[in-house]
Amino acid sequence: MVHHGVMRVALVAESFLPQSNGVVNSLLRVLEHLERRGDQAIVIAPEGRGGEGPARYGHAEVVRLPAMGWPGYHDVRVALAGTGRVARALERFDPDVVHLASPFVLGWTAVRACEELHLPSVAIYQTEVPSYADRYGMPWGEGILWDRVRSIHQRADLTLAPSSFAMRQLELLGVERLRLWPRGVDSERFHPRYRSQALHDVWAPRGEIVVGYVGRLAPEKQVQDLTRLAGLPGVRLVIVGDGPSRDALKRAMPDAVLTGHLGGAELAQAMATLDVMVHTGELETFCQTIQEALASGVPVVAPRRGGPIDLVHDGASGHLYTPGDLGEMAAHVRGLVEDAGRREAFGAHARASVEGNTWEHVCDRLIGSYEEAIALHHARPARPWDVQDEEVVLA
């Protein structure tokens, strides 16, 4: 069933503006794409800390639900609304399809509301939440959390995963109706032309090679692994981003430059001015900052796990190392630091490898997935527990 005319899309998000992360960033690109097409959208998200955050984004209304901060991690907002409240918000908007962005707490509530209202749903797998349990000192929680992930994605009509590693992970969990949906990159905004010799001179006044990390500074990102590079001769470490691990990283690497959070043109300039980027996180389902580094013409060194496997062409645009093998990571970095010709060749390949990954192309694929989910939903037999009366079976 192909949808002609205006599509009504409800996007349910675990986080939204003013927060800034990979999930929010891709949601904004999707909202912009829907608006360009003339579709109608609504965002349902937890309220921000202190009630902050916009009531609209472009043409889309943002419906906020009561939320609390996660203990010790107040930027993470957990929605407290029950299924009834989410169902009422969905009913008022009457969407053709519900987009569940990185569903976990609110997403679990929303996918049950979709079942109650017989609405088609597309679940976007984007965060490997269960593996965070171990990083945050709660290894006992991992199995319970994977059960939750399976329950959500099995109830959705279609699940989109951002990388081949994530697809396999969900397949092994028993999730069906899986499709690959990677992320786009703004290769005009992230571009080698924004490399700044002046900024490079500030960071590395003695002409050192700048090796950097860009992203959130949090335990699951394993940024402390960069301490393995702190002693490399002729290297200046630059860490771009902010988060709960910042003070500990400053103590562990007193000679590193910590820029704090950067956005807009400043981020694009910082990214393009790196000589080598190292991404240390092993729990990335995609890893947008790697794609932005590649678009900026910067070679990348990353673990051979998760999203980086699809993004980094090993030995061409960067190197992949065995997770946990920091000796191998350091050797790859040293190889690039010592060979300017290789850095240049890898940088050119990096740029070419992602130039076609436009958000427009990626969002067009998403619209196709919405249409597929609607068709799948109407083709799925009514399950016995859904059948309250004749009308529901015929609907």
Side-chain angles (χ1 to χ4, degrees), residues 115-279:
E115 285 187 327
E116 247 172 59
L117 300 170
H118 303 283
L119 291 172
S121 58
V122 177
I124 316 290
Y125 177 67
Q126 203 159 345
T127 313
E128 199 180 312
V129 174
S131 302
Y132 283 28
D134 192 35
R135 303 290 151 99
Y136 284 88
M138 298 181 288
W140 47 267
E142 191 165 344
I144 301 165
L145 299 177
W146 279 122
D147 285 345
R148 165 62 61 87
V149 169
R150 183 195 294 111
S151 301
I152 291 171
H153 290 280
Q154 278 297 69
R155 285 166 183 248
D157 290 290
L158 197 63
T159 286
L160 305 184
S163 61
S164 49
F165 183 93
M167 290 273 287
R168 183 85 185 111
Q169 209 173 30
L170 292 173
E171 207 172 57
L172 292 172
L173 266 187
V175 175
E176 297 156 335
R177 303 179 303 283
L178 274 171
R179 304 286 180 271
L180 183 67
W181 185 60
R183 300 294 174 266
V185 64
D186 185 341
S187 53
E188 278 307 296
R189 183 182 162 208
F190 292 96
H191 196 288
R193 72 165 86 91
Y194 296 119
R195 182 177 174 87
S196 161
Q197 191 56 50
L199 179 59
H200 199 282
D201 291 344
V202 170
W203 284 346
R206 287 183 292 282
E208 300 97 327
I209 301 301
V210 173
V211 175
Y213 164 88
V214 180
R216 273 173 28 79
L217 310 183
E220 71 275 7
K221 302 292 187 183
Q222 296 168 249
V223 190
Q224 72 280 3
D225 289 355
L226 294 178
T227 52
R228 189 72 171 68
L229 306 175
L232 284 184
V235 167
R236 173 48 62 98
L237 286 178
V238 172
I239 297 171
V240 178
D242 211 344
S245 304
R246 183 177 180 167
D247 292 344
L249 293 167
K250 186 74 198 152
R251 287 193 298 275
M253 292 173 272
D255 294 334
V257 175
L258 276 78
T259 68
H261 176 77
L262 298 179
E266 274 190 310
L267 176 61
Q269 183 189 61
M271 190 72 96
T273 304
L274 300 177
D275 295 307
V276 178
M277 167 147 137
V278 181
H279 199 288

Side-chain angles (χ1 to χ4, degrees), residues 53-111:
R56 305 191 72 78
Y57 185 80
H59 291 176
E61 182 194 352
V62 181
V63 175
R64 298 285 182 170
L65 299 172
M68 58 173 259
W70 192 255
Y73 219 107
H74 295 299
D75 282 348
V76 177
R77 307 293 294 167
V78 181
L80 303 173
T83 310
R85 185 155 184 172
V86 175
R88 283 195 299 278
L90 288 171
E91 232 172 351
R92 271 197 307 273
F93 182 68
D94 188 25
D96 297 309
V97 67
V98 179
H99 170 130
L100 305 167
S102 197
F104 199 71
V105 178
L106 179 55
W108 169 240
T109 310
V111 81

Side-chain angles (χ1 to χ4, degrees), residues 314-333:
D314 200 3
S317 65
H319 291 292
L320 296 170
Y321 63 90
T322 309
D325 190 340
L326 302 188
E328 187 186 349
M329 181 260 276
H332 285 318
V333 172

Side-chain angles (χ1 to χ4, degrees), residues 21 26 37 92 138-139 150 157 174 186 218 251 279 300 310 313 346 351 358 360 379:
N21 56 43
S26 49
R37 282 172 37 96
R92 271 197 307 273
M138 298 181 288
R150 183 195 294 111
D157 290 290
D186 185 341
R251 287 193 298 275
H279 199 288
V300 175
D310 291 357
H313 299 170
F346 276 30
R351 172 75 188 168
T358 65
E360 188 175 10

